Amino acid sequence: MSFILHFHDVVVRSDDLATLDESSWLNDTIIEFYMEYAERIPLKSRTDILLLRPAIVQLLTHSTESPEVLKAVLPPDLDKREVIFVPVNDGSPSHAYDGSHWSLIVFYRPTRTFYYYDSMDTTNLSVAKRTMFQLKRLLGDRYPYDVVVPGAPQQTNGADCGVIVIAMIEHLLKSLLRDKQGDWSDVFGSIDDTDIMPPSATRNALADLLFSLREKQAISEK
């Protein structure tokens, strides 16, 4: 397993890169890499938007620990973030990489609303509700929370769910960064196919980004 890129807290290897091939199911590492890049580059030092990493979401979803214990391993000030992006996988906690579908939760704190986006109708809704329940415990469930299921681009094969999750995150982030008014309620509506890059183009863009960053690192190390 050869080394491709070490980007801050994420190490991408050749096996991870191979999941960007057409008809391949995207793994946790590629989603984690994109989130690390988004927080470091487009979002820079923004503290109002948080992208929870897949491993943290899996831990959160299936943990039986108290909220106080979970807070110790989660990003700080979780209850103060305006927007939280949460990639949801239907895998079990006891087996690595055994999931078969990715979907996306976005929490918007000002309206206490969870938005659920799924490229296969509502395939992951049951596990997503478990994740939402766990987040509510951490955010303070003394208040009511709403769950909204907007439309999402639908995949045409069994492999593009993770790629579509990344494309939806990118679309929503661009909308959030473009709208500087502070009220983002209208951002989290339905996402159409025309709002995101096609899955094949997203795969190519992610691969290009990986190699571009590796090239920049190589130049800086000379």
Side-chain angles (χ1 to χ4, degrees):
M1 189 186 300
S2 62
F3 166 81
I4 299 295
L5 176 71
H6 188 177
F7 185 74
H8 296 280
D9 294 334
V10 182
V11 176
V12 180
R13 303 188 185 278
S14 56
D15 284 4
D16 304 314
L17 182 66
T19 69
L20 287 172
D21 293 343
E22 287 293 332
S23 301
S24 293
W25 191 79
L26 212 64
N27 72 0
D28 299 42
T29 302
I30 296 297
I31 295 177
E32 184 179 359
F33 159 73
Y34 172 76
M35 289 183 152
E36 187 80 16
Y37 171 81
E39 284 191 345
R40 300 264 181 189
I41 309 298
L43 294 177
K44 294 182 180 176
S45 59
R46 294 284 295 261
T47 59
D48 53 345
I49 300 173
L50 175 67
L51 284 71
L52 278 183
R53 307 302 192 261
I56 293 294
V57 176
Q58 192 78 339
L59 171 66
L60 172 67
T61 301
H62 298 284
S63 176
T64 58
E65 299 288 353
S66 68
E68 289 71 26
V69 172
L70 284 173
K71 283 180 180 179
V73 297
L74 291 170
D77 300 324
L78 191 70
D79 59 343
K80 295 180 175 62
R81 309 298 181 116
E82 294 287 293
V83 182
I84 304 175
F85 287 85
V86 187
V88 177
N89 180 267
D90 62 351
S92 62
S94 57
H95 297 87
Y97 306 115
D98 73 333
S100 61
H101 186 56
W102 289 103
S103 58
L104 176 67
I105 296 168
V106 183
F107 175 69
Y108 184 48
R109 187 180 63 82
T111 60
R112 297 189 296 277
T113 303
F114 290 100
Y115 295 89
Y116 174 72
Y117 296 92
D118 195 326
S119 60
M120 289 185 70
D121 194 20
T122 56
T123 296
N124 266 6
L125 187 54
S126 60
V127 67
K129 285 183 175 179
R130 171 66 181 169
T131 306
M132 294 175 200
F133 172 79
Q134 292 287 75
L135 275 170
K136 284 168 62 177
R137 295 172 65 211
L138 292 164
L139 296 168
D141 60 1
R142 61 188 180 278
Y143 302 112
Y145 290 83
D146 292 325
V147 177
V148 176
V149 184
Q154 298 297 288
Q155 63 193 86
T156 58
N157 58 27
D160 281 340
C161 51
V163 180
I164 292 174
V165 163
I166 288 179
M168 290 192 295
I169 293 173
E170 182 169 33
H171 164 72
L172 292 171
L173 285 178
K174 285 180 178 178
S175 298
L176 292 172
L177 293 174
R178 187 167 52 244
D179 184 354
K180 299 180 181 179
Q181 298 303 311
D183 181 3
W184 290 326
S185 301
D186 294 338
V187 169
F188 306 110
S190 295
I191 301 175
D192 299 324
D193 291 340
T194 55
D195 292 323
I196 65 171
M197 284 196 300
S200 58
T202 302
R203 290 177 185 272
N204 291 335
L206 287 166
D208 289 345
L209 177 60
L210 278 162
F211 285 113
S212 173
L213 291 171
R214 187 176 73 167
E215 184 177 351
K216 288 179 181 178
Q217 284 185 358
I219 293 172
S220 66
E221 290 170 359
K222 287 183 179 179

